[in-house]
Amino acid sequence: MTVVLAVYNRARELPLAIASVFAQTTTSWELLVVDDGSTDGSRAVAERYLWHPRVRVLALETNMGLGNALQAALPHVRTPYFVTLDSDDWFAPTALAELTAAMDAGPSDAVVVSANARHWRDVNGRLVRHHVLRGRPFSDKFDFMRYGPYLVPRFYRTEAVRRVGGFERDPHGQGRYYEDKLILLKLADVGRFLHVDRVLYHVRLHSANLTRPEERARLNAIKKAMYERMMRELGDPYELVWKLHPEGWLDVADLVPRPSGARQDGRTH
């Protein structure tokens, strides 16, 4: 399996992310670092690890945004599975072994495996233990639409990601925002999501990944447009009912069935 690690100006945090790959209990991995036009020396940090035969670095000339960087990496993935790792996060030592085992043991239509994540607050470079985000399995694509939090880690079946067109540069997020939600919405239509109920991923919380309140309205509009687009592509069987999270984020509160005559032309499920 391949770890795809896209980095943009994270030279300080990148060594911990890479070290967590080297510390895995399995050696059946490749690491593909995608430098997304960094200007702080992140590429040079990544290239220090090229002595290892399973490490590759893909350098993009300009900053394209996370989704576009992942799409650029997709043709270079040579394994049946791949997992994304944010450059300021890190894996638990057994993550790759447990995620691979879950996919191998799962049904043939399984396309994503996730787990639980420990959050850490970055306080002046010191990591302070915070809460655990617990994911869950989903009964179907509409059950996933009702799920508000993000899924990490995101361990993908490579063929399925390619089949749905990969990490597209959509008209709403432009491949820079909610790329994870969009690819998961697309994958939920073609296969099953599995969940490992263990902490296999660590998330660093710091000022750069805490979105400013004034940005939330714009991001909420992007998310709403993405979900409405996917519902239309599914034949519009439900009306999306939205709610505002106490922190200002927009989530799906309910899916209300539409009368069959009111649905748009398209697939029904």
Side-chain angles (χ1 to χ4, degrees):
M1 55 81 53
T2 300
V3 177
V4 179
L5 196 169
V7 57
Y8 176 65
N9 289 351
R10 291 277 182 229
R12 183 175 71 91
E13 295 86 359
L14 185 57
L16 177 58
I18 294 177
S20 76
V21 179
F22 278 76
Q24 292 299 298
T25 57
T26 177
T27 58
S28 298
W29 53 263
E30 295 184 8
L31 173 60
L32 176 59
V33 180
V34 186
D35 179 63
D36 188 17
S38 295
T39 58
D40 72 338
S42 292
R43 175 179 173 182
V45 172
E47 288 177 343
R48 294 176 196 162
Y49 299 87
L50 286 175
W51 59 268
H52 196 289
R54 294 199 300 272
V55 175
R56 291 175 289 154
V57 175
L58 174 64
L60 306 180
E61 292 184 2
T62 59
N63 177 253
M64 300 172 60
L66 181 54
N68 297 313
L70 294 176
Q71 183 65 8
L74 191 56
H76 300 273
V77 175
R78 306 180 293 201
T79 54
Y81 310 143
F82 73 95
V83 60
T84 56
L85 173 62
D86 284 356
S87 55
D88 49 353
D89 298 339
W90 65 98
F91 288 129
T94 62
L96 300 187
E98 294 194 53
L99 294 166
T100 301
M103 188 74 90
D104 284 345
S108 59
D109 66 343
V111 293
V112 175
V113 184
S114 64
N116 304 330
R118 164 69 67 182
H119 289 67
W120 299 78
R121 181 76 64 181
D122 189 332
V123 181
N124 299 321
R126 183 172 62 92
L127 293 170
V128 179
R129 184 185 292 261
H130 210 263
H131 68 285
V132 170
L133 172 65
R134 299 193 178 278
R136 65 175 179 84
F138 304 97
S139 58
D140 60 20
K141 52 186 165 289
F142 300 114
D143 186 26
F144 173 69
M145 280 190 169
R146 294 183 177 95
Y147 181 74
Y150 55 83
L151 289 184
V152 284
R154 294 180 291 277
F155 186 92
Y156 300 104
R157 189 180 297 275
T158 308
E159 176 276 329
V161 173
R162 289 177 174 149
R163 186 172 8 130
V164 300
F167 301 85
E168 66 180 272
R169 187 182 180 90
D170 67 289
H172 309 294
Q174 294 294 312
R176 288 182 175 272
Y177 305 102
Y178 286 124
E179 82 296 329
D180 55 334
K181 289 289 189 183
L182 183 56
I183 189 65
L184 291 172
L185 286 169
K186 292 162 64 175
L187 287 168
D189 187 37
V190 301
R192 199 175 313 190
F193 288 14
L194 309 179
H195 180 254
V196 177
D197 192 18
R198 282 174 43 79
V199 172
L200 299 182
Y201 195 89
H202 296 275
V203 176
R204 184 192 305 258
L205 300 175
H206 48 70
S207 58
N209 62 14
L210 297 177
T211 306
R212 296 186 301 275
E214 58 268 26
E215 287 287 294
R216 290 178 186 168
R218 182 171 66 92
L219 293 175
N220 284 342
I222 292 171
K223 179 178 179 179
K224 186 172 185 287
M226 283 182 176
Y227 275 62
E228 290 175 345
R229 164 204 157 179
M230 292 306 302
M231 187 63 78
R232 287 194 300 272
E233 292 185 7
L234 294 172
D236 245 2
Y238 297 98
E239 178 185 354
L240 289 158
V241 179
W242 296 93
K243 64 181 177 182
L244 203 61
H245 188 275
E247 294 182 358
W249 299 110
L250 198 63
D251 287 327
V252 174
D254 199 5
L255 300 178
V256 178
R258 294 181 185 274
S260 58
R263 298 181 187 180
Q264 296 181 0
D265 290 339
R267 292 170 296 162
T268 57
H269 296 258

